Amino acid sequence: MPAERGVTVGVLYPDLLNIYADRGNLLFLRRRCEWRGIPFRLLGVGLGESLEPDAIDLVYIGGGQDRDQELCAEDLALLKRESLEEIASRDIPLLAVCGGYQLLGSGYETDHGTLPGAGIADLSTTRANGPRLVGPCAVQTDLGGPTNGLLAGFENHAGRTRLGESASALGRVVSGHGNNGSDGTEGYRSGNIVGTYLHGPLLPKNWWFADWLLARCLGIDIEELAELDDRLERAAHSEALRAAKVAQ
Ligand code: GLN
């Protein structure tokens, strides 16, 4: 049974891409596995190290400021690209947040030049000189679940991401700015490959989405995961929706 094998999360650049409590996403995944008796392991993959698709069940890439992205973009595009392409083609779950999300596409254009991307998602990002897109955010996805697919979080980015013709958004902006503040899209999803601007951290505010990812890692239906007492998690989600001024 896959649950016995457990979940190994390959965390790219854990020291560089980790802001706005993004590490809380990993802690949350760990707890939800441990509470269910599912073995959980983190495998940090830093600069110069190789990412082995066979060794991991989920790839996690956190957020980072431009400065942090500058330090790892080339390594990602040169050293990790092939593995990430394999991960995408095998539909191994991947979650990338903000700065990490921006680096999934063709590149991130800033005033200092263009940072290369991994090129596994049809999207591109430009740093705007306009205001940063900051604040609570709510996004309507088509993932169903106990909130009917509604995700809540917080965003803080200068970059504007545009999805290419072949790309689909993670969802529609209900409140906040999303990918670029103008076209109403938020994030990117292709099967199990997900990119989003939602920090906050994302998963503790959206417990069901953490389970969605875990079920996909384990290759099981979400209903097969043991139920947990999610009263606190539901309250955290409601609070995040309230912050985003979404009526409940
Ligand atoms: N450096 C990127 C931007 O400002 C991403 C920031 C982040 O990860 N919050 O657009």
Side-chain angles (χ1 to χ4, degrees):
M1 190 178 136
E4 275 161 18
R5 166 183 158 170
V7 172
T8 299
V9 182
V11 186
L12 286 184
Y13 316 111
D15 301 332
L16 296 173
L17 297 183
N18 170 44
I19 49 170
Y20 309 135
D22 282 345
R23 205 168 278 170
N25 288 327
L26 299 171
L27 189 59
F28 195 68
L29 290 172
R30 175 185 290 283
R31 290 284 187 272
R32 292 186 79 74
C33 281
E34 288 177 352
W35 286 332
R36 293 173 165 126
I38 300 169
F40 182 88
R41 217 160 67 91
L42 291 180
L43 195 67
V45 184
L47 295 172
E49 293 173 346
S50 62
L51 173 68
E52 301 294 339
D54 286 333
I56 46 127
D57 306 294
L58 170 71
V59 179
Y60 180 74
I61 319 178
Q65 296 299 357
D66 293 11
R67 195 178 52 242
D68 307 314
Q69 290 170 289
E70 273 167 33
L71 296 172
C72 59
E74 202 163 292
D75 183 274
L76 183 83
L78 293 177
L79 243 108
K80 317 286 197 275
R81 186 186 201 115
E82 217 174 289
S83 304
L84 286 168
E85 278 169 358
E86 190 180 333
I87 281 156
S89 74
R90 285 164 57 180
D91 209 19
I92 294 172
L94 178 151
L95 174 64
V97 177
C98 201
Y101 163 44
Q102 294 172 340
L103 295 179
L104 293 185
S106 57
Y108 177 33
E109 202 183 309
T110 73
D111 290 343
H112 316 291
T114 301
L115 298 179
I120 61 161
D122 182 14
L123 56 91
S124 60
T125 304
T126 307
R127 187 182 171 92
N129 289 319
R132 288 185 77 81
L133 304 181
V134 185
C137 187
V139 177
Q140 183 62 58
T141 73
D142 62 3
L143 299 174
T147 69
N148 289 323
L150 199 57
L151 291 169
F154 177 83
E155 60 184 322
N156 185 350
H157 51 108
R160 291 353 187 214
T161 297
R162 298 260 163 209
L163 300 177
E165 298 246 306
S166 72
S168 301
L170 172 61
R172 309 273 329 153
V173 174
V174 175
S175 170
H177 306 284
N179 279 334
N180 47 58
S182 57
D183 71 4
T185 64
E186 203 297 306
Y188 164 89
R189 184 167 85 88
S190 170
N192 295 336
I193 310 295
V194 177
T196 179
Y197 271 112
L198 299 192
H199 288 281
L202 168 72
L203 299 181
K205 289 182 178 172
N206 299 282
W207 82 101
W208 64 271
F209 186 59
D211 282 355
W212 182 88
L213 280 172
L214 289 175
R216 281 167 181 247
C217 290
L218 295 163
I220 60 175
D221 283 340
I222 196 161
E223 293 77 25
E224 292 177 63
L225 287 170
E227 274 192 46
L228 298 172
D229 176 356
D230 284 324
R231 277 173 295 182
L232 275 177
E233 288 77 1
R234 284 173 187 269
H237 178 76
S238 290
E239 195 48 50
L241 284 182
R242 240 190 312 278
K245 301 196 167 33
V246 174
Q248 302 173 63

